[in-house]
Amino acid sequence: MEHLINQRVKDIEISGIRKFFNMVADTKDMISLTIGQPDFPTPLHVKEAAKQAIDGNFTSYTHNAGDIRLRKAASSFVQTKYNLTYNPENEVIVTSGASEAIDIAFRTILDEGSEVILPGPVYPGYEPIIKLCGAIPVYTDITKNKFRFTADLIERQMSEKTRCIVLPYPSNPTGVSLTLEELEQIAALVKGKDIFIVADEIYSELIYDQAHHSIASLLREQTIIINGLSKSHSMTGWRIGLLFAPENLAKHILKVHQYNVTCAASVSQMAAFEALTEGIDDALPMRHEYVNRRDYVYERLIQMNLDVVKPDGAFYFFIKIPDVSMDSFDFALSLVENAGVAVVPGSAFSTYGEGYFRISFAYSMDTLREGLDRIENYLKHLKR
């Protein structure tokens, strides 16, 4: 029955991040620096709120867009943190993780043959959904621009078929964010054109050297914001995402969401409500620790004479592979086999990631120290 499978589904693949992680998961004495998942537990008060929801039998369907208390909390959160105003009644949708928010946003705005401009390298979760919609991903090489996806680079890729630009900042895999001035230039370029911005801001609470700025503050009517609790509150498994869009957009996105999942899990919604109210600043101590880890990892990488851009957000380093005769997959595999360290091949993040590898510093200092020691010893062996 293979010949009956939707060809677009057959043409996409499992994420390169997960593919490599799964491949080495059972290897003994392995130090894994692969997955972008906070190593902190979900805050205790958030877990207690979920228990109370269960005990109170809050286990039924909610409004398709999410419980109104949570939508109000989400609206208040982005107003307080980023000075963004969204009506909780009709401009906020609670989703089953940010991944579902990306899916329903693309399925609402893309048609057959629409073009979507993305930075390269980039998180691999966008391209498959774009292709499933019959649209075309158009990558922009940002490797020669210190991983900055700027207006001049975007303009070169724009055409009459451009329907959407994806702004994923802070970035996975590079950890780079955009300045307010850079966002203003992008907004000026796109303003008034029939082009949407999908702003994936899932790491907005994990930015270290400047305040987070959302392009929605400059281009609200054309922007769909993707956010959620996974990274900010260490709630990856709770699967709560947040989508913010002007009413004329949100009402259509909600239809796709309704037929996709009906509503996000009710118990998780009550945990998220607690996180966005009583836990509004839960990310701060985690962010402080990430800064310490980032600075430690950066110094170690520089000491190894590796070519790397210091990240100012998220928890990743995207590192140029030393001058060796291996592609990124073979280099990562060699690290596993010869050093007992798992990283993510840069090729997982589009063809523009080839020649790089990604490490996550969402791990304990002990794990980072041991992993970097092993990488350093491996590189010394390569140079012999």
Side-chain angles (χ1 to χ4, degrees):
M1 304 294 279
E2 174 77 10
H3 65 288
L4 300 177
I5 302 299
N6 184 317
Q7 188 60 47
R8 287 175 182 165
V9 174
K10 291 169 70 173
D11 289 342
I12 64 175
E13 297 184 5
I14 298 295
S15 160
I17 304 172
R18 284 290 174 178
K19 185 184 295 184
F20 199 83
F21 173 79
N22 294 338
M23 188 176 70
V24 303
D26 296 327
T27 306
K28 292 182 179 179
D29 190 32
M30 179 64 56
I31 296 292
S32 177
L33 303 177
T34 57
I35 299 299
Q37 175 168 263
D39 66 324
F40 301 97
T42 300
L44 180 61
H45 68 100
V46 174
K47 292 188 286 189
E48 289 298 328
K51 293 175 187 176
Q52 291 174 20
I54 294 171
D55 291 340
N57 294 317
F58 191 76
T59 54
S60 302
Y61 295 129
T62 68
H63 188 289
N64 292 130
D67 187 272
I68 188 59
R69 291 169 292 180
L70 176 53
R71 283 183 281 146
K72 287 180 177 178
S75 177
S76 178
F77 185 88
V78 295
Q79 174 68 55
T80 300
K81 294 283 187 174
Y82 316 124
N83 197 31
L84 299 172
T85 302
Y86 287 93
N87 186 338
E89 296 284 349
N90 50 30
E91 297 184 321
V92 181
I93 301 173
V94 182
T95 62
S96 294
S99 296
E100 194 234 335
I102 293 167
D103 176 54
I104 61 176
F106 282 152
R107 285 204 282 157
T108 300
I109 64 175
L110 298 182
D111 289 315
E112 190 83 21
S114 299
E115 292 182 352
V116 180
I117 301 175
L118 309 100
V122 71
Y123 169 66
Y126 309 116
E127 179 180 325
I129 307 301
I130 293 167
K131 288 183 172 179
L132 286 173
C133 292
I136 303 166
V138 178
Y139 284 101
T140 302
D141 183 0
I142 59 171
T143 59
K144 299 175 181 63
N145 198 37
K146 296 183 178 180
F147 300 130
R148 311 195 77 78
F149 191 34
T150 48
D152 58 325
L153 296 181
I154 293 171
E155 187 171 19
R156 295 175 199 172
Q157 302 287 17
M158 290 172 61
S159 75
E160 68 279 359
K161 294 182 179 180
T162 301
R163 179 69 58 82
C164 174
I165 298 166
V166 178
L167 284 185
Y169 290 99
S171 163
N172 173 10
T174 69
V176 170
S177 193
L178 294 181
T179 65
L180 179 58
E181 181 181 3
E182 288 168 331
L183 292 172
E184 287 172 340
Q185 292 169 354
I186 294 171
L189 172 67
V190 177
K191 187 176 177 63
K193 295 181 171 67
D194 291 334
I195 297 173
F196 296 105
I197 299 286
V198 171
D200 187 347
E201 302 181 2
I202 191 67
Y203 295 99
S204 60
E205 282 295 278
L206 302 180
I207 189 166
Y208 310 123
D209 302 322
Q210 61 178 342
H212 173 73
H213 300 287
S214 174
I215 196 167
S217 65
L218 308 167
L219 203 65
R220 186 184 191 279
E221 293 307 307
Q222 292 171 242
T223 299
I224 301 168
I225 296 178
I226 310 294
N227 214 315
L229 283 296
S230 291
K231 314 299 183 179
S232 61
H233 288 76
S234 194
M235 293 177 65
T236 53
W238 298 82
R239 309 312 301 137
I240 291 292
L242 299 168
L243 185 148
F244 302 88
E247 181 184 3
N248 65 319
L249 268 173
K251 68 181 182 182
H252 296 296
I253 297 172
L254 182 61
K255 291 183 287 187
V256 183
H257 168 72
Q258 175 202 336
Y259 290 113
N260 199 15
V261 299
T262 303
C263 65
S266 57
V267 171
S268 292
Q269 287 192 49
M270 288 301 94
F273 172 76
E274 175 73 13
L276 293 178
T277 52
E278 296 303 316
I280 189 170
D281 290 324
D282 278 351
L284 296 184
M286 290 186 270
R287 187 166 70 195
H288 177 75
E289 180 58 26
Y290 288 137
V291 170
N292 292 336
R293 296 177 187 181
R294 177 200 64 168
D295 292 347
Y296 170 75
V297 173
Y298 181 70
E299 290 303 318
R300 289 294 305 274
L301 295 174
I302 293 299
Q303 289 168 10
M304 296 180 212
N305 295 314
L306 290 169
D307 184 355
V308 63
V309 173
K310 188 176 185 180
D312 53 13
F315 32 58
Y316 309 106
F317 279 89
F318 205 60
I319 307 157
K320 194 166 184 59
I321 295 172
D323 187 17
V324 295
S325 56
M326 288 185 279
D327 62 22
S328 62
F329 185 88
D330 288 340
F331 177 81
L333 189 60
S334 181
L335 264 179
V336 168
E337 294 173 343
N338 298 292
V341 181
V343 300
V344 181
S347 56
F349 304 96
S350 84
T351 56
Y352 291 107
E354 185 54 71
Y356 294 82
F357 66 99
R358 190 197 78 174
I359 66 174
S360 166
F361 56 89
Y363 292 90
S364 71
M365 285 294 284
D366 287 343
T367 298
L368 293 171
R369 188 175 295 109
E370 176 64 22
L372 291 167
D373 285 347
R374 294 186 185 190
I375 291 173
E376 184 172 18
N377 289 333
Y378 172 81
L379 294 177
K380 288 177 179 177
H381 174 76
L382 275 183
K383 294 175 182 177
R384 292 176 186 169

PDB file of all heavy atoms in Angstrom, residues 82-100:
ATOM      1  N   TYR A  82       6.671  42.518  26.708  1.00  0.00           N
ATOM      2  CA  TYR A  82       7.111  42.996  25.398  1.00  0.00           C
ATOM      3  C   TYR A  82       6.283  44.148  24.849  1.00  0.00           C
ATOM      4  O   TYR A  82       6.449  44.532  23.695  1.00  0.00           O
ATOM      5  CB  TYR A  82       7.081  41.835  24.384  1.00  0.00           C
ATOM      6  CG  TYR A  82       7.644  40.550  24.925  1.00  0.00           C
ATOM      7  CD1 TYR A  82       6.892  39.367  24.917  1.00  0.00           C
ATOM      8  CD2 TYR A  82       8.922  40.499  25.485  1.00  0.00           C
ATOM      9  CE1 TYR A  82       7.400  38.186  25.430  1.00  0.00           C
ATOM     10  CE2 TYR A  82       9.434  39.311  26.006  1.00  0.00           C
ATOM     11  CZ  TYR A  82       8.661  38.163  25.979  1.00  0.00           C
ATOM     12  OH  TYR A  82       9.164  36.993  26.495  1.00  0.00           O
ATOM     13  N   ASN A  83       5.368  44.669  25.692  1.00  0.00           N
ATOM     14  CA  ASN A  83       4.531  45.804  25.309  1.00  0.00           C
ATOM     15  C   ASN A  83       3.706  45.511  24.052  1.00  0.00           C
ATOM     16  O   ASN A  83       3.541  46.353  23.174  1.00  0.00           O
ATOM     17  CB  ASN A  83       5.388  47.062  25.099  1.00  0.00           C
ATOM     18  CG  ASN A  83       4.562  48.329  25.112  1.00  0.00           C
ATOM     19  OD1 ASN A  83       3.532  48.413  25.790  1.00  0.00           O
ATOM     20  ND2 ASN A  83       4.996  49.330  24.367  1.00  0.00           N
ATOM     21  N   LEU A  84       3.161  44.298  23.995  1.00  0.00           N
ATOM     22  CA  LEU A  84       2.294  43.887  22.895  1.00  0.00           C
ATOM     23  C   LEU A  84       0.861  43.791  23.394  1.00  0.00           C
ATOM     24  O   LEU A  84       0.619  43.286  24.492  1.00  0.00           O
ATOM     25  CB  LEU A  84       2.734  42.531  22.338  1.00  0.00           C
ATOM     26  CG  LEU A  84       4.149  42.455  21.754  1.00  0.00           C
ATOM     27  CD1 LEU A  84       4.497  41.012  21.439  1.00  0.00           C
ATOM     28  CD2 LEU A  84       4.270  43.323  20.509  1.00  0.00           C
ATOM     29  N   THR A  85      -0.084  44.225  22.589  1.00  0.00           N
ATOM     30  CA  THR A  85      -1.494  44.219  22.985  1.00  0.00           C
ATOM     31  C   THR A  85      -2.300  43.285  22.084  1.00  0.00           C
ATOM     32  O   THR A  85      -2.387  43.511  20.868  1.00  0.00           O
ATOM     33  CB  THR A  85      -2.081  45.639  22.920  1.00  0.00           C
ATOM     34  OG1 THR A  85      -1.322  46.505  23.772  1.00  0.00           O
ATOM     35  CG2 THR A  85      -3.532  45.635  23.374  1.00  0.00           C
ATOM     36  N   TYR A  86      -2.874  42.241  22.699  1.00  0.00           N
ATOM     37  CA  TYR A  86      -3.734  41.302  21.979  1.00  0.00           C
ATOM     38  C   TYR A  86      -4.981  41.044  22.803  1.00  0.00           C
ATOM     39  O   TYR A  86      -4.898  40.819  24.014  1.00  0.00           O
ATOM     40  CB  TYR A  86      -3.001  39.989  21.694  1.00  0.00           C
ATOM     41  CG  TYR A  86      -1.968  40.123  20.610  1.00  0.00           C
ATOM     42  CD1 TYR A  86      -0.637  40.404  20.923  1.00  0.00           C
ATOM     43  CD2 TYR A  86      -2.326  40.024  19.272  1.00  0.00           C
ATOM     44  CE1 TYR A  86       0.315  40.560  19.927  1.00  0.00           C
ATOM     45  CE2 TYR A  86      -1.383  40.186  18.260  1.00  0.00           C
ATOM     46  CZ  TYR A  86      -0.066  40.450  18.603  1.00  0.00           C
ATOM     47  OH  TYR A  86       0.870  40.612  17.598  1.00  0.00           O
ATOM     48  N   ASN A  87      -6.124  41.079  22.128  1.00  0.00           N
ATOM     49  CA  ASN A  87      -7.399  40.856  22.784  1.00  0.00           C
ATOM     50  C   ASN A  87      -7.541  39.363  23.092  1.00  0.00           C
ATOM     51  O   ASN A  87      -7.555  38.541  22.162  1.00  0.00           O
ATOM     52  CB  ASN A  87      -8.538  41.311  21.869  1.00  0.00           C
ATOM     53  CG  ASN A  87      -9.892  41.247  22.540  1.00  0.00           C
ATOM     54  OD1 ASN A  87     -10.089  40.518  23.510  1.00  0.00           O
ATOM     55  ND2 ASN A  87     -10.847  42.009  22.018  1.00  0.00           N
ATOM     56  N   PRO A  88      -7.641  38.984  24.371  1.00  0.00           N
ATOM     57  CA  PRO A  88      -7.732  37.561  24.708  1.00  0.00           C
ATOM     58  C   PRO A  88      -8.987  36.894  24.165  1.00  0.00           C
ATOM     59  O   PRO A  88      -9.036  35.674  24.019  1.00  0.00           O
ATOM     60  CB  PRO A  88      -7.714  37.558  26.239  1.00  0.00           C
ATOM     61  CG  PRO A  88      -8.160  38.924  26.640  1.00  0.00           C
ATOM     62  CD  PRO A  88      -7.645  39.842  25.575  1.00  0.00           C
ATOM     63  N   GLU A  89      -9.994  37.675  23.846  1.00  0.00           N
ATOM     64  CA  GLU A  89     -11.246  37.101  23.338  1.00  0.00           C
ATOM     65  C   GLU A  89     -11.109  36.539  21.930  1.00  0.00           C
ATOM     66  O   GLU A  89     -11.724  35.531  21.595  1.00  0.00           O
ATOM     67  CB  GLU A  89     -12.352  38.171  23.353  1.00  0.00           C
ATOM     68  CG  GLU A  89     -12.724  38.688  24.737  1.00  0.00           C
ATOM     69  CD  GLU A  89     -13.575  37.696  25.514  1.00  0.00           C
ATOM     70  OE1 GLU A  89     -14.053  36.713  24.905  1.00  0.00           O
ATOM     71  OE2 GLU A  89     -13.769  37.920  26.722  1.00  0.00           O
ATOM     72  N   ASN A  90     -10.308  37.204  21.097  1.00  0.00           N
ATOM     73  CA  ASN A  90     -10.305  36.809  19.680  1.00  0.00           C
ATOM     74  C   ASN A  90      -8.951  36.934  18.981  1.00  0.00           C
ATOM     75  O   ASN A  90      -8.880  36.825  17.753  1.00  0.00           O
ATOM     76  CB  ASN A  90     -11.349  37.629  18.906  1.00  0.00           C
ATOM     77  CG  ASN A  90     -11.220  39.119  19.175  1.00  0.00           C
ATOM     78  OD1 ASN A  90     -10.138  39.628  19.441  1.00  0.00           O
ATOM     79  ND2 ASN A  90     -12.360  39.822  19.115  1.00  0.00           N
ATOM     80  N   GLU A  91      -7.857  37.148  19.735  1.00  0.00           N
ATOM     81  CA  GLU A  91      -6.546  37.300  19.114  1.00  0.00           C
ATOM     82  C   GLU A  91      -5.480  36.417  19.764  1.00  0.00           C
ATOM     83  O   GLU A  91      -4.292  36.561  19.468  1.00  0.00           O
ATOM     84  CB  GLU A  91      -6.093  38.763  19.150  1.00  0.00           C
ATOM     85  CG  GLU A  91      -7.001  39.686  18.352  1.00  0.00           C
ATOM     86  CD  GLU A  91      -6.512  41.116  18.288  1.00  0.00           C
ATOM     87  OE1 GLU A  91      -5.987  41.613  19.315  1.00  0.00           O
ATOM     88  OE2 GLU A  91      -6.644  41.744  17.223  1.00  0.00           O
ATOM     89  N   VAL A  92      -5.893  35.502  20.615  1.00  0.00           N
ATOM     90  CA  VAL A  92      -4.978  34.598  21.307  1.00  0.00           C
ATOM     91  C   VAL A  92      -5.517  33.172  21.150  1.00  0.00           C
ATOM     92  O   VAL A  92      -6.694  32.916  21.412  1.00  0.00           O
ATOM     93  CB  VAL A  92      -4.852  34.936  22.809  1.00  0.00           C
ATOM     94  CG1 VAL A  92      -3.877  33.978  23.493  1.00  0.00           C
ATOM     95  CG2 VAL A  92      -4.411  36.388  23.000  1.00  0.00           C
ATOM     96  N   ILE A  93      -4.657  32.246  20.734  1.00  0.00           N
ATOM     97  CA  ILE A  93      -5.039  30.840  20.608  1.00  0.00           C
ATOM     98  C   ILE A  93      -4.024  29.992  21.374  1.00  0.00           C
ATOM     99  O   ILE A  93      -2.815  30.118  21.155  1.00  0.00           O
ATOM    100  CB  ILE A  93      -5.088  30.389  19.136  1.00  0.00           C
ATOM    101  CG1 ILE A  93      -6.082  31.240  18.341  1.00  0.00           C
ATOM    102  CG2 ILE A  93      -5.449  28.902  19.038  1.00  0.00           C
ATOM    103  CD1 ILE A  93      -6.065  30.959  16.838  1.00  0.00           C
ATOM    104  N   VAL A  94      -4.530  29.157  22.267  1.00  0.00           N
ATOM    105  CA  VAL A  94      -3.680  28.225  23.003  1.00  0.00           C
ATOM    106  C   VAL A  94      -3.577  26.950  22.173  1.00  0.00           C
ATOM    107  O   VAL A  94      -4.600  26.369  21.797  1.00  0.00           O
ATOM    108  CB  VAL A  94      -4.266  27.910  24.397  1.00  0.00           C
ATOM    109  CG1 VAL A  94      -3.339  26.972  25.170  1.00  0.00           C
ATOM    110  CG2 VAL A  94      -4.502  29.200  25.177  1.00  0.00           C
ATOM    111  N   THR A  95      -2.361  26.516  21.881  1.00  0.00           N
ATOM    112  CA  THR A  95      -2.143  25.386  20.982  1.00  0.00           C
ATOM    113  C   THR A  95      -1.452  24.229  21.701  1.00  0.00           C
ATOM    114  O   THR A  95      -0.961  24.375  22.822  1.00  0.00           O
ATOM    115  CB  THR A  95      -1.289  25.817  19.775  1.00  0.00           C
ATOM    116  OG1 THR A  95      -0.002  26.253  20.237  1.00  0.00           O
ATOM    117  CG2 THR A  95      -1.962  26.945  19.010  1.00  0.00           C
ATOM    118  N   SER A  96      -1.402  23.106  21.033  1.00  0.00           N
ATOM    119  CA  SER A  96      -0.711  21.929  21.573  1.00  0.00           C
ATOM    120  C   SER A  96       0.773  22.031  21.230  1.00  0.00           C
ATOM    121  O   SER A  96       1.281  21.361  20.325  1.00  0.00           O
ATOM    122  CB  SER A  96      -1.311  20.651  21.002  1.00  0.00           C
ATOM    123  OG  SER A  96      -2.640  20.493  21.456  1.00  0.00           O
ATOM    124  N   GLY A  97       1.437  22.905  21.949  1.00  0.00           N
ATOM    125  CA  GLY A  97       2.840  23.186  21.693  1.00  0.00           C
ATOM    126  C   GLY A  97       3.008  24.217  20.593  1.00  0.00           C
ATOM    127  O   GLY A  97       2.099  24.455  19.780  1.00  0.00           O
ATOM    128  N   ALA A  98       4.197  24.819  20.549  1.00  0.00           N
ATOM    129  CA  ALA A  98       4.479  25.793  19.498  1.00  0.00           C
ATOM    130  C   ALA A  98       4.497  25.127  18.125  1.00  0.00           C
ATOM    131  O   ALA A  98       4.215  25.770  17.111  1.00  0.00           O
ATOM    132  CB  ALA A  98       5.817  26.484  19.771  1.00  0.00           C
ATOM    133  N   SER A  99       4.815  23.823  18.083  1.00  0.00           N
ATOM    134  CA  SER A  99       4.845  23.124  16.793  1.00  0.00           C
ATOM    135  C   SER A  99       3.471  23.137  16.124  1.00  0.00           C
ATOM    136  O   SER A  99       3.364  23.322  14.902  1.00  0.00           O
ATOM    137  CB  SER A  99       5.309  21.678  16.996  1.00  0.00           C
ATOM    138  OG  SER A  99       6.632  21.636  17.464  1.00  0.00           O
ATOM    139  N   GLU A 100       2.414  22.938  16.917  1.00  0.00           N
ATOM    140  CA  GLU A 100       1.082  22.989  16.329  1.00  0.00           C
ATOM    141  C   GLU A 100       0.743  24.403  15.875  1.00  0.00           C
ATOM    142  O   GLU A 100       0.079  24.602  14.851  1.00  0.00           O
ATOM    143  CB  GLU A 100       0.016  22.495  17.310  1.00  0.00           C
ATOM    144  CG  GLU A 100      -1.330  22.208  16.638  1.00  0.00           C
ATOM    145  CD  GLU A 100      -2.526  22.912  17.258  1.00  0.00           C
ATOM    146  OE1 GLU A 100      -2.457  23.253  18.464  1.00  0.00           O
ATOM    147  OE2 GLU A 100      -3.520  23.134  16.547  1.00  0.00           O
TER     148      GLU A 100
END
